[in-house]
Amino acid sequence: MARPRKPLLSRDRIVEAASALVDAEGLDAVSTRRLAAELGVSGPSLYNHFRNKDEILDAVADAVSAQVDLSMFEEDDARDWPAALHDWAVSYRAALAAHPHIVPVLAQGPGRRPAGLRVADAVFGAMVRAGWPPAQATYIGALMRYFITGSALGSFARGFVDDETAYDPADYPHLGQAHLLADRRQQVDEGAFETGLRALLDGLALQYEQTAPGRTVRPAPNGA
């Protein structure tokens, strides 16, 4: 029997094609008709795997969540909770930075997405094991998601044009170097993220000492 010319349609193939479209053209580029054309199949065949476009985008978002490292939250990992949160946040942001167009979907929360729920479960479980009350562990998970997804929704540096004449010193006396930001986007955005993350974790460490008397945590080294 001759082999089929194209691989059989599967959820993974659909998600892979949808992810490529989202990365290249954004969320609006995804439609069942467009995906069917990309995959070389009939439109109705997609409905054997997904009910609609929203389910496909959910699966794309979950595939990104699955890229996030959670090893630091395993019970046998030696990192304390601030170091674990730091390393997880860096991994999470890296995954989002590689797929920025899907961030608005991820920012809505995990819903029923398995990988997204595993992330939430790992963070909450690790914070409770570290001694945080469950309510505070919930707040920490929420604030970390706000901070990480917010940092990935847009680039601060890219928000400035590279035209020096746009920043007349008579109007903007402190923006004389703003036209250089766009060319230093990665340095500025990553530096801002690391600065904010260290400040956030330092603040949590102070709260932790008040919440769990007698317990202390090691401050995270700069650039950790």
Side-chain angles (χ1 to χ4, degrees), residues 34-74:
R34 177 76 182 275
L35 281 174
E38 293 285 334
L39 292 163
V41 299
S42 63
S45 63
L46 298 180
Y47 297 116
N48 293 325
H49 302 277
F50 295 97
R51 289 183 297 179
N52 50 45
K53 170 183 172 178
D54 288 341
E55 280 197 357
I56 295 172
L57 291 178
D58 260 358
V60 172
D62 213 37
V64 173
S65 293
Q67 299 172 17
V68 180
D69 182 14
L70 299 177
S71 64
M72 66 288 297
F73 296 130
E74 295 175 1

Side-chain angles (χ1 to χ4, degrees), residues 63 83 87 105 114 118 127 167 170 180-181 189 194 199:
D87 294 349
V105 179
R118 281 193 290 272
M127 294 306 99
Y167 308 103
L180 302 175
L181 290 174
D189 292 344
E194 186 64 38

Side-chain angles (χ1 to χ4, degrees), residues 161-215:
V161 299
D162 61 0
D163 180 3
E164 187 174 5
T165 65
Y167 308 103
D168 188 329
D171 296 321
Y172 316 109
H174 306 296
L175 296 182
Q177 302 296 307
H179 64 287
L180 302 175
L181 290 174
D183 286 339
R184 301 174 183 175
R185 180 187 64 80
Q186 183 173 356
Q187 176 186 353
V188 172
D189 292 344
E190 290 183 357
F193 178 78
E194 186 64 38
T195 298
L197 181 58
R198 287 203 307 270
L200 188 156
L201 294 175
D202 286 347
L204 283 177
L206 291 175
Q207 289 187 36
Y208 182 77
E209 293 177 9
Q210 298 169 0
T211 301
R215 294 193 178 194

